[in-house]
Amino acid sequence: MKRVASCALVLALGLFFVPLPAFAAQHIVIDTDVGDTWVYGNSPNPNGTQEPNELTATGNSVTVNSGGKVDLSVICGYADSTSDNAAATGNSVTVNSGGTVGRSVYGGYARSDSGTATATGNSVTVNSGGAVRQNVYGGYAS
């Protein structure tokens, strides 16, 4: 029994130290009212409601369909760093007829405290009948 327990402990510890892979591009569709929250296209949460912690955000998409409602903002590709470069590239948001975003929409958003922040090739499409209550940014870098 000791031997099996030791093997299990070694396997468990070995898996603990394996770095997690970066999240692949995500495609989030909002068809209902998600409530008083932000939606991030590259969120580690499949419904987009958890803020990601990534230096790069590439190729994500968020679609807000008829009946879809986000009370706060939508940020499709969110890249954030306190010490390195941050890049949001090729992300897209579409708000279709009957879809509503209560605040702003960002195709890509990159922020860095001490490195370079870039937002390139991001887009936002608001189709006829779609509503964004505040600002629309294809890309934003600071």
Side-chain angles (χ1 to χ4, degrees):
M1 282 193 141
K2 265 189 172 177
R3 188 175 212 169
V4 173
S6 296
C7 289
L9 180 59
V10 169
L11 287 174
L13 290 176
L15 291 175
F16 179 74
F17 293 109
V18 173
L20 296 173
F23 291 99
Q26 294 193 75
H27 308 286
I28 295 174
V29 177
I30 305 297
D31 289 319
T32 61
D33 186 340
V34 297
D36 191 26
T37 187
W38 293 67
V39 169
Y40 300 90
N42 60 320
S43 171
N45 186 331
N47 68 1
T49 59
Q50 181 181 347
E51 183 177 319
N53 183 17
E54 298 182 26
L55 299 177
T56 61
T58 303
N60 301 286
S61 69
V62 174
T63 303
V64 183
N65 285 324
S66 180
K69 182 180 176 192
V70 178
D71 288 343
L72 299 180
S73 294
V74 172
I75 300 178
C76 188
Y78 181 71
D80 183 30
S81 175
T82 57
S83 60
D84 286 319
N85 296 335
T89 307
N91 302 286
S92 64
V93 178
T94 302
V95 181
N96 287 320
S97 179
T100 303
V101 177
R103 291 193 183 165
S104 297
V105 174
Y106 301 80
Y109 187 111
R111 189 193 74 77
S112 178
D113 288 342
S114 61
T116 301
T118 57
T120 56
N122 302 289
S123 65
V124 175
T125 302
V126 181
N127 289 315
S128 178
V132 176
R133 302 287 183 223
Q134 291 183 359
N135 301 308
V136 174
Y137 302 95
Y140 181 89
S142 67

